[in-house]
């Protein structure tokens, strides 16, 4: 039996001041459609984490790569993948923990809540892909990663 095609959506953002809110709303609309139209259960936790991840990734794209941003959302199995493309080829690097640092914790937050994280250069710019578990009970780890 062939595997079901992924459920996906692509959102082009112009990179202006409203693109972060637009990306968050698009992500929630997508996950709501996934539930209603496809019958895929999406926990409140997954909704909240997806909004958080989208907000952090699009904020960073807007801050470090002014211009258009492309966001792709895809559900495969029990995961939602959030991929954000921007025009800056420099890959992000998580900084060492520093409780005295104000701000610049976005990548740390994303990596802490993600089931999977990938950053790769594209022919133009880069693409950051984050996977988030959809079920209510992802297991013993809040981020949905399996226990060691």
């Amino acid at each position: 039996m062939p595997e079901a095609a992924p459920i996906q959506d692509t959102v082009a953002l112009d990179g202006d001041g409203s693109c972060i809110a637009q990306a968050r709303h698009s992500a929630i609309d997508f996950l709501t459609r996934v539930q209603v139209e496809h019958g895929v259960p999406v926990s409140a936790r997954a909704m909240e984490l997806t909004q958080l991840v989208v907000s952090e990734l699009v904020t960073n794209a807007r801050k470090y790569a002014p211009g258009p941003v492309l966001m792709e959302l895809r559900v495969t199995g029990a995961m939602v993948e959030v991929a954000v493309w921007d025009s800056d080829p420099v890959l992000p690097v998580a900084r060492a923990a520093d409780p005295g640092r104000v701000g610049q914790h976005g990548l740390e937050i994303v990596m802490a809540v993600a089931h999977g994280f990938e950053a790769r250069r594209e022919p133009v710019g880069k693409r950051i892909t984050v996977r988030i578990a959809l079920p209510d009970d992802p297991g013993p780890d809040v981020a949905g990663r399996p226990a060691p």
Side-chain angles (χ1 to χ4, degrees):
M1 175 178 230
E3 191 173 312
I7 304 163
Q8 56 191 16
D9 193 14
T10 301
V11 181
L13 304 162
D14 62 14
D16 71 4
S18 68
C19 73
I20 299 162
Q22 179 187 355
R24 282 194 306 262
H25 291 295
S26 295
I28 291 306
D29 290 346
F30 172 74
L31 289 177
T32 300
R33 284 193 320 272
V34 164
Q35 290 182 100
V36 172
E37 295 173 12
H38 299 278
V40 176
V42 178
S43 69
R45 179 192 140 283
M47 287 273 198
E48 292 168 4
L49 290 180
T50 300
Q51 273 192 301
L52 174 64
V53 165
V54 162
S55 183
E56 293 295 337
L57 294 181
V58 173
T59 296
N60 285 349
R62 183 168 185 267
K63 181 176 180 180
Y64 297 109
V69 175
L70 190 66
M71 179 177 73
E72 297 172 344
L73 302 160
R74 175 190 309 236
V75 170
T76 54
M79 294 283 163
V80 60
E81 288 184 355
V82 177
V84 174
W85 170 89
D86 67 50
S87 62
D88 184 3
V90 177
L91 298 178
V93 177
R95 298 177 66 180
D98 178 0
R101 182 174 73 233
V102 176
Q104 298 185 341
H105 295 280
L107 187 57
E108 295 170 57
I109 292 167
V110 168
M111 292 174 83
V113 302
H115 184 67
F117 175 88
E118 177 186 18
R120 66 181 166 135
R121 284 189 181 88
E122 296 281 316
V124 175
K126 68 178 167 297
R127 180 178 310 274
I128 309 298
T129 304
V130 175
R131 284 171 291 290
I132 300 165
L134 292 173
D136 238 344
D137 182 11
D141 186 312
V142 168
R145 292 182 292 264

